[in-house]
Amino acid sequence: MRQFEILLIASTFLVAGTQLIFEESRWQLYPVYFFLCLLLANSIYRLPKFLVYVIGGLAIVIAMALSVLLPVFRFEEPTGPYDIGTLTYHWVDGSRADVFSTDPKAPREMMVQIWYPAKKGATLPLAPYVEDADAFSKAQAQLHGWPSFMLGYLKYIKSNARTGAPAAEDRPNFPVLIFLEGITGYRQMNTFQVEYLVSRGYVVVAIDQPFIAARVVFPDGHQISGWSKEQMNPLIQQSITTVQPVPSLNGTTFDAGIIPYFAQDVGFLLDQLSVLDRDDPTRALNGRLDLNRIGIFGVSLGGIVVGEACRIDRRLRACLVMDAPMPASVVTEGLQQSSMWITRDAQTMRTEGWSEFDIDQHQKSMRAVFEKSTGDGYFVEVTGLFHANLTDISHFSPILSWAGITGPIDATRAHSIINAYTAAFFDRYLTGPPATILDGASEQFPEVRLERR
């Protein structure tokens, strides 16, 4: 028995030690670490065996349960013909002040991540899912009142992209898509969608917009923490339905709300992409961007900004809005570009717990723009789709489904639907292959109700 205990202690320490060396400590495994300490104490003080085995069994069961409930998940490998490369840039718009900063001289700056089609067979290590994951996890905890360690495991999750991988050379260049995050989000929050599109031959560019993103970490180490939905909502609502008194920020009033300001980030981004295509400091993307074929997509607040950006900038040829009300300016004028809305029916929103005010605002404004716009339009309603299903959040834990945060539709099924309609839309208007799924009802996706205009 003594030899068995020595073997148990040695093997357990070996496994835990290996995990600590390669991953650092993970809070889901704290019960196992405690059991290790108990085994060590038992080897010295000879604790009751029954107590040791009961506590050890409980520790292992708890650790396994926590690892299942908050898993270090993996994204499905994309099915397209390309591998995925990624690069991150820090861009500063010196022509605009950051209206959220109390320093009137602070310029608008942002972190930008680009995913691009890469040559097959690269052996570079996989890039992390979330860069600066520790800062992001702490920011989410502060914004939502979670324990600070709750999302700490995100730093162990890898994407399917490889930093600096050689770009694919079978085409002269690739169409470009811009992704905009939601409030308290992060630029990688739709990796399931981004990787699918890049593997099919698109370059995807995502912005961490300061004060929208939960936290933006810049190369010199300074950080900008995001605003909560409650803090930002008066400025957002002013863009959708103007009210009195007009909200102000640092002495500046915003008659049209904050959405036009955020949309200017997109114009700046497009200008920077032109510079990057001519002279990428990494050399990886020189001449690889087809800036005559640009689309944009965004979720939630990002979707609101997409509507305004498409209204004011015709360089954007295809516009995809995911579950977001439309600004008053866009409702009034409509859109000239080809546009798609991916959302859900009012009853699904009620099931999720949305207020009648929010349901009415979303449904009426999206449909008004769909009906008024002069470009081709598609209205995609997915029964059972909850707001979180439109992002990676549904991967975070099975608890989210049990708690009603993700919808009755299976997360994998939801992402399959979103990817299919997203790719079909951008393929039709940016690359040209036929996209029959947009021509009518789909036998493959009976939960989808599609309207065309």
Side-chain angles (χ1 to χ4, degrees), residues 16-185:
T18 302
Q19 185 270 322
L20 287 169
I21 290 171
F22 287 99
E23 288 189 346
E24 303 177 4
S25 64
R26 192 191 304 174
W27 71 267
Q28 293 99 320
L29 298 179
Y30 281 0
V32 173
Y33 305 151
F34 173 76
F35 180 45
L36 287 175
C37 294
L38 184 66
L39 285 176
L40 185 60
N42 180 57
S43 67
I44 300 172
Y45 298 108
R46 310 304 300 167
L47 302 174
K49 291 182 180 180
F50 174 78
L51 178 65
V52 172
Y53 293 148
V54 168
I55 293 177
L58 285 173
I60 292 171
V61 169
I62 292 170
M64 290 177 61
L66 289 173
S67 297
V68 169
L69 296 176
L70 294 167
V72 177
F73 60 84
R74 279 301 311 272
F75 290 98
E76 291 185 12
E77 291 190 16
T79 56
Y82 296 101
D83 279 355
I84 301 170
T86 188
L87 292 164
T88 302
Y89 301 85
H90 172 215
W91 288 340
V92 180
D93 185 355
S95 68
R96 287 193 300 148
D98 194 324
V99 298
F100 288 88
S101 175
T102 55
D103 179 2
K105 296 182 180 179
R108 184 69 172 167
E109 59 181 331
M110 60 197 72
M111 295 302 296
V112 177
Q113 188 165 355
I114 301 180
W115 295 264
Y116 55 90
K119 293 180 181 178
K120 282 285 189 181
T123 57
L124 294 166
L126 293 173
Y129 169 44
V130 180
E131 293 182 22
D132 306 302
D134 285 337
F136 167 74
S137 300
K138 292 175 183 176
Q140 289 291 336
Q142 292 171 3
L143 286 165
H144 300 291
W146 300 336
S148 59
F149 57 81
M150 180 68 74
L151 297 179
Y153 68 97
L154 291 181
K155 65 183 177 183
Y156 305 119
I157 297 171
K158 300 295 183 180
S159 68
N160 288 303
R162 301 177 190 274
T163 302
E169 296 178 344
D170 63 320
R171 300 187 199 176
N173 52 31
F174 297 92
V176 176
L177 303 175
I178 296 168
F179 172 70
L180 301 182
E181 68 207 348
I183 188 75
T184 73

Side-chain angles (χ1 to χ4, degrees), residues 8 25 53 89 114 146 198 206 233 239 276 429:
L8 178 62
S25 64
Y53 293 148
Y89 301 85
I114 301 180
W146 300 336
V198 176
N233 202 51
S239 295
L276 185 74
Y429 293 99

Side-chain angles (χ1 to χ4, degrees), residues 181-249:
E181 68 207 348
I183 188 75
T184 73
Y186 53 111
R187 63 182 184 264
Q188 304 95 346
M189 67 186 291
N190 278 50
T191 291
F192 82 91
Q193 193 177 22
V194 168
E195 292 188 341
Y196 183 82
L197 291 164
V198 176
S199 78
R200 292 172 58 90
Y202 290 93
V203 173
V204 178
V205 184
I207 321 173
D208 257 343
Q209 292 178 275
F211 298 95
I212 291 180
R215 183 165 294 170
V216 187
V217 180
F218 295 97
D220 65 0
H222 82 279
Q223 304 181 14
I224 296 179
S225 297
W227 279 21
S228 68
K229 181 180 179 181
E230 291 72 22
Q231 288 174 297
M232 192 73 75
N233 202 51
L235 288 163
I236 297 172
Q237 286 298 319
Q238 184 70 12
S239 295
I240 301 171
T241 306
T242 57
V243 297
Q244 295 294 333
V246 175
S248 63
L249 180 61

Side-chain angles (χ1 to χ4, degrees), residues 14 97 103 117 172 196 202 210 214 217 237 290 297 300 302 324-325 343 372 398 432 441:
L14 178 63
D103 179 2
Y196 183 82
Y202 290 93
V217 180
Q237 286 298 319
D290 186 347
F297 63 111
S300 196
T343 185
K372 189 179 185 70

Side-chain angles (χ1 to χ4, degrees), residues 317-331:
R317 289 180 48 185
C319 308
L320 169 59
V321 174
M322 294 187 288
D323 207 40
M326 293 287 89
S329 56
V330 182
V331 171

